[in-house]
Amino acid sequence: MSEEKKVLLHCEHLVKEFPVSRTKSVHAVSDIDLEIYEGECLALVGESGCGKSTLGRTLIQLHKPTSGDVWYKDVKISAMKPAEFAPYRRQMQMIFQDPYASLDPRMNVRDIIAEPLVTYKVCENKEALTKRVLELMDAVGVPRDFLYRYPHQFSGGQRQRIGIARAIALHPSLVICDEPVSALDVSVQSQVLNLLKDIQAQYGLTYLFISHDLSVVRFISNRVCVMFLGKICEIGDSSLIYEKPLHPYTKFLMNAIPIADPHLRGEEKTLLEGEIPSPINPPKGCRFHTRCPYATEKCRTEEPALREVEGRRVACHLA
Ligand code: SF4
């Protein structure tokens, strides 16, 4: 990445709640300020249910924000009507977790990859469309002979390659990768991660990479944003966060990464107790205090601000 960082997408005070009754809501995303820089891979990490997928979808307007705003470059996209948003929509694509579920089993590869090109009337005729689909198959390493095959005739890794081809068909600037390798065998994960890296360089993409797996994130990300219960705990350059995590929850996640070397396993571990609190009724003060081994009275009553500490931003009274 160049030293001159330009913001591609950012949000301010973003909130997404899902009503579950007349009086109660799931607080999936709570008052988040975040910026994604052009050309970077920003990883969103945290346990299942922390709001990372909802945040990704709300940023690209697949969910309407409950409140707060989102800007693409200098344009406020969160206030737009669907027709007004359409030209921006094509700049933002998604790669989904489950390549089995995200591809229509009744469509062949040509039609799956061609779908966004047809929707946005990108090609002049059928020949040009097929030529473009074949180029995309080359780019993701799916043999041209498979043009008229159906999803059930492919392995999980090949299906994810087809999903990647569809996501880049319109030359988007931002791709949300939502757990793109977690449904794949470990042996296939690194192949798909390498492909994502190559495609990012070749197409000049910016990634928001959503994952619960910190070993995967370490391989691909420039920056890491750790979330807990709809809030950001810590955000900064990957090298800083992996070398010296400051938030107790980040430390816990780092300690949970399996270590292959038995000599390194005796390190002190931060142990977490209890279940993740309900996002319908999140705890007051620091949302992590019911599980944090260092919680004090202040943590139970006063919410920590996300502030600059040692080159990253952290939300912890003790940092
Ligand atoms: Fe733990 Fe308190 Fe820091 Fe929250 S603010 S992470 S409860 S020490």
Side-chain angles (χ1 to χ4, degrees):
M1 287 193 57
S2 69
E3 289 300 309
E4 181 73 15
K5 293 200 290 185
K6 284 190 190 155
V7 175
L8 180 68
L9 192 97
H10 79 280
C11 65
E12 287 181 9
H13 303 298
L14 195 67
V15 173
K16 181 61 191 173
E17 296 173 355
F18 298 99
V20 288
S21 71
R22 288 231 314 260
T23 54
K24 290 181 178 167
S25 296
V26 170
H27 300 261
V29 171
S30 299
D31 196 16
I32 289 212
D33 291 354
L34 183 70
E35 52 293 309
I36 303 174
Y37 296 106
E38 270 179 25
E40 76 167 342
C41 175
L42 172 64
L44 265 188
V45 303
E47 291 163 289
S48 175
C50 70
K52 53 193 190 303
S53 288
T54 303
L55 175 57
R57 285 161 189 256
T58 310
L59 285 171
I60 61 168
Q61 308 300 298
L62 290 177
H63 295 317
K64 265 288 163 209
T66 304
S67 61
D69 285 305
V70 183
W71 283 263
Y72 176 79
K73 298 185 178 170
D74 292 328
V75 182
K76 193 193 281 190
I77 55 172
S78 47
M80 289 179 171
K81 302 256 182 313
E84 201 184 349
F85 180 62
Y88 297 94
R89 177 76 191 86
R90 64 180 289 179
Q91 292 293 329
M92 304 166 204
Q93 298 293 322
M94 268 195 91
I95 296 167
F96 297 93
Q97 173 178 4
D98 186 353
Y100 298 86
S102 63
L103 304 181
D104 187 334
R106 296 159 303 179
M107 292 169 75
N108 63 37
V109 173
R110 179 193 175 278
D111 294 343
I112 288 170
I113 298 176
E115 199 176 31
L117 300 166
V118 171
T119 302
Y120 283 91
K121 300 184 175 64
V122 172
C123 299
E124 293 156 3
N125 53 42
K126 280 188 174 176
E127 288 69 35
L129 189 62
T130 302
K131 183 170 176 280
R132 180 75 190 118
V133 169
L134 288 168
E135 287 166 3
L136 286 161
M137 289 173 72
D138 292 343
V140 298
V142 173
R144 288 181 166 223
D145 297 352
F146 296 172
L147 186 64
Y148 293 105
R149 290 198 183 181
Y150 288 83
H152 74 270
Q153 296 174 290
F154 291 95
S155 66
Q158 283 174 320
R159 286 189 234 211
Q160 196 55 295
R161 287 173 188 267
I162 296 164
I164 293 167
R166 183 177 58 183
I168 60 172
L170 293 168
H171 282 282
S173 50
L174 175 67
V175 178
I176 311 273
C177 307
D178 191 357
E179 301 272 9
V181 298
S182 54
L184 304 176
D185 289 346
V186 174
S187 58
V188 181
Q189 284 187 351
S190 57
Q191 294 169 16
V192 173
L193 286 171
N194 278 318
L195 173 65
L196 285 169
K197 267 193 161 182
D198 292 347
I199 292 281
Q200 183 185 22
Q202 193 182 336
Y203 283 74
L205 299 172
T206 302
Y207 285 154
L208 181 65
F209 192 95
I210 298 168
S211 179
H212 67 281
D213 186 336
L214 271 90
S215 33
V216 164
V217 163
R218 182 171 213 164
F219 178 75
I220 199 159
S221 66
N222 305 106
R223 288 193 306 143
V224 177
C225 174
V226 181
M227 284 184 72
F228 183 78
L229 215 61
K231 291 266 182 188
I232 296 175
C233 302
E234 185 163 4
I235 178 168
D237 287 352
S238 304
S239 52
L240 272 179
I241 304 276
Y242 277 88
E243 274 163 30
K244 195 181 175 198
L246 293 182
H247 194 285
Y249 182 57
T250 317
K251 290 180 189 174
F252 160 74
L253 292 177
M254 294 296 173
N255 279 335
I257 300 173
I259 299 171
D261 184 345
H263 300 294
L264 299 176
R265 284 185 188 154
E267 300 272 313
E268 185 197 346
K269 299 270 184 194
T270 307
L271 295 176
L272 283 190
E273 291 181 356
E275 297 292 312
I276 300 177
S278 167
I280 295 175
N281 190 17
K284 290 202 167 41
C286 173
R287 290 196 174 181
F288 188 56
H289 83 252
T290 60
R291 301 177 81 197
C292 181
Y294 314 109
T296 63
E297 192 48 40
K298 185 180 182 186
C299 303
R300 287 182 259 280
T301 54
E302 203 178 302
E303 186 174 343
L306 192 63
R307 61 197 171 81
E308 195 83 26
V309 183
E310 295 183 31
R312 86 290 302 272
R313 283 180 287 159
V314 192
C316 174
H317 292 309
L318 298 186

